[in-house]
């Protein structure tokens, strides 16, 4: 199917007006937070977001999602999660210019890591491997932790729609720039190449994929990307789950789980579906434990 082309006037407006204005706004926010100490940037970002965010129209989607996930929760409980979600998101934005300098060990380390031995086993087994996580706490720290553990990896991410903003975002990931692979056809080739070279692929797997597979999530079918299980089945490689938890302010704990593999019953479709159901259940458990630290703003379930 051919992509629908944007009308020329709209394309010109976007390229020469909208995109530059967005880039200026992002640059101002980025520059402001980068000049602050990380604790101040985190605190200011959290305060702004939790003050303004709950009043934005998009918060209606978050409330709707929270009620679907927690049908017995009262209005105050829903609002507490919404406010906490915005606080976490604002802190994540404020911390973004600093993530590449946050430390995982030694005095003054901001990130405690548990289960590092599982990542080291992945590093040393001579096999390709897969690593998955979710949009929890400051999810930008995940790739830096994998890099700190010495695991050669490529990191799958969604490219910004605005190419000027994409360049700014990459400033926060510049230490890993050569390992960042945007989703898409070229990204798929890079993934296959990495796995064939016994390297590792890391991805966030908690968002909706319209042409994915229907898998339960909080008791309702949600369209889920099957790539994690499909690649795990194809290469027979270990798959490690990790999650990031915000413990207090700009301090975190990253938990790394023992490796698992996709079952091989002879029915590949059933194996992939069951594996993704298990992954969704694990992510659901993470969210139930820290509901305000998950990003509730995307359309995870069908309307």
């Amino acid at each position: 199917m051919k992509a629908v082309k944007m009308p020329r006037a709209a394309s010109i407006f976007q390229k020469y007006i909208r995109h530059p204005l967005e880039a200026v706004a992002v640059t101002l926010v980025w520059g402001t937070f980068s000049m602050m100490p990380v604790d101040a940037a985190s605190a200011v970002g959290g305060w702004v977001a939790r003050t303004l965010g709950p009043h934005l129209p998009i918060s209606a989607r978050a409330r709707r999602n929270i009620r679907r996930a927690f049908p017995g929760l009262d209005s105050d409980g829903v609002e507490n999660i919404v406010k906490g979600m915005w606080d976490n998101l604002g802190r994540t934005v404020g911390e973004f210019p600093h993530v590449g300098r946050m430390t995982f060990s030694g005095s003054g380390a901001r990130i405690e890591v548990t289960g590092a031995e599982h990542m080291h086993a992945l590093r040393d087994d001579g096999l390709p491997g897969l690593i998955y996580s979710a949009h929890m706490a400051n999810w930008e720290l995940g790739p830096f932790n994998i890099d700190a553990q010495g695991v050669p990896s490529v990191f799958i991410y969604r490219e910004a729609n605005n190419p000027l903003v994409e360049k700014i975002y990459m400033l926060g990931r510049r230490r890993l720039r050569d390992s960042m692979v945007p989703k898409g056809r070229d990204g798929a080739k890079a993934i296959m190449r990495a796995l064939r070279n016994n390297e590792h692929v890391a991805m966030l797997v908690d968002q909706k994929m319209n042409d994915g597979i229907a898998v339960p999530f909080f008791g309702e079918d949600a369209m889920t990307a099957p790539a994690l299980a499909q690649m795990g089945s194809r290469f027979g490689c270990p798959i490690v789950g990790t999650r990031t938890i915000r413990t207090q302010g700009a301090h975190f704990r990253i938990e790394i789980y023992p490796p698992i593999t996709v079952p091989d019953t002879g029915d590949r479709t059933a194996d992939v579906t069951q594996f993704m159901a298990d992954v969704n259940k694990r992510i659901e458990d993470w969210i139930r434990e820290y509901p305000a630290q998950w990003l509730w703003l995307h359309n995870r379930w069908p309307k």
Side-chain angles (χ1 to χ4, degrees), residues 210-254:
N210 289 329
D211 55 351
I213 57 176
V215 177
F217 188 55
F218 283 92
E220 293 190 49
D221 279 349
M223 299 307 290
T224 300
L228 179 74
Q230 290 171 340
M231 290 187 292
S233 175
R234 176 174 176 176
F235 288 89
C237 60
I239 301 174
V240 168
T242 76
R243 70 163 168 173
T244 304
I245 299 166
R246 186 180 297 278
T247 54
Q248 184 177 6
H251 291 81
F252 306 86
R253 181 171 71 253
I254 292 180

Side-chain angles (χ1 to χ4, degrees), residues 104 113 119-120 122-123 130-133 141-155 175-176 200-203 240 242 254 256:
F104 294 84
V113 179
M119 198 68 75
H120 297 163
L122 205 65
R123 177 193 64 198
L130 296 161
I131 304 163
Y132 73 89
S133 192
L141 291 170
F144 289 97
N145 174 54
I146 295 168
D147 181 66
Q149 304 301 329
V151 183
S153 303
V154 296
F155 307 103
R175 204 174 84 203
L176 304 176
H200 305 83
V201 175
M203 63 188 77
V240 168
T242 76
I254 292 180
I256 305 169

Side-chain angles (χ1 to χ4, degrees), residues 84-92 136-139 246 292-293:
M85 176 204 69
W86 279 108
D87 177 78
N88 179 74
L89 181 56
R91 287 180 176 277
T92 299
M136 296 197 69
N138 189 329
W139 55 88
R246 186 180 297 278
Q293 295 193 22

Side-chain angles (χ1 to χ4, degrees), residues 25-228:
V26 171
T27 300
L28 289 173
V29 172
W30 174 277
T32 299
F33 284 133
S34 65
M35 290 187 293
M36 296 180 181
V38 61
D39 290 306
S42 177
V44 171
W47 177 82
V48 171
R50 69 175 179 265
T51 301
L52 301 178
H55 305 290
L56 298 177
I58 197 172
S59 287
R61 181 185 299 171
R63 294 183 180 97
R64 183 170 63 247
N65 287 337
I66 293 166
R67 291 189 183 103
R68 292 181 77 159
F70 303 106
L73 196 62
D74 62 20
S75 295
D76 288 343
V78 171
E79 290 306 311
N80 285 337
I81 294 176
V82 170
K83 186 175 180 179
M85 176 204 69
W86 279 108
D87 177 78
N88 179 74
L89 181 56
R91 287 180 176 277
T92 299
V93 172
E95 293 154 1
F96 194 20
H98 304 275
V99 290
R101 298 190 298 274
M102 290 188 183
T103 51
F104 294 84
S105 60
S107 61
R110 290 184 173 274
I111 304 110
E112 172 195 3
V113 179
T114 64
E117 66 274 12
H118 305 308
M119 198 68 75
H120 297 163
L122 205 65
R123 177 193 64 198
D124 299 334
D125 62 10
L127 300 171
L130 296 161
I131 304 163
Y132 73 89
S133 192
H135 289 83
M136 296 197 69
N138 189 329
W139 55 88
E140 292 287 344
L141 291 170
F144 289 97
N145 174 54
I146 295 168
D147 181 66
Q149 304 301 329
V151 183
S153 303
V154 296
F155 307 103
I156 311 305
Y157 78 105
R158 184 185 181 280
E159 215 169 7
N161 295 331
N162 183 335
L164 300 176
V165 171
E166 172 69 12
K167 291 180 180 180
I168 300 167
Y169 286 169
M170 272 301 175
L171 291 174
R173 303 164 177 148
R174 57 185 174 272
R175 204 174 84 203
L176 304 176
R177 182 188 299 272
D178 294 339
S179 301
M180 303 300 297
V181 175
K183 293 179 180 179
R185 182 175 298 178
D186 291 340
K189 292 178 181 178
I191 291 170
M192 291 296 106
R193 186 164 54 248
L195 293 174
R196 292 191 187 103
N197 291 335
N198 289 338
E199 296 178 353
H200 305 83
V201 175
M203 63 188 77
L204 300 171
V205 298
D206 56 330
Q207 289 193 327
K208 178 183 178 181
M209 181 180 182
N210 289 329
D211 55 351
I213 57 176
V215 177
F217 188 55
F218 283 92
E220 293 190 49
D221 279 349
M223 299 307 290
T224 300
L228 179 74

Side-chain angles (χ1 to χ4, degrees), residues 11-21:
S11 177
I12 292 173
F13 173 81
Q14 177 171 279
K15 182 176 181 179
Y16 294 105
I17 299 177
R18 180 180 173 182
H19 281 178
L21 288 175

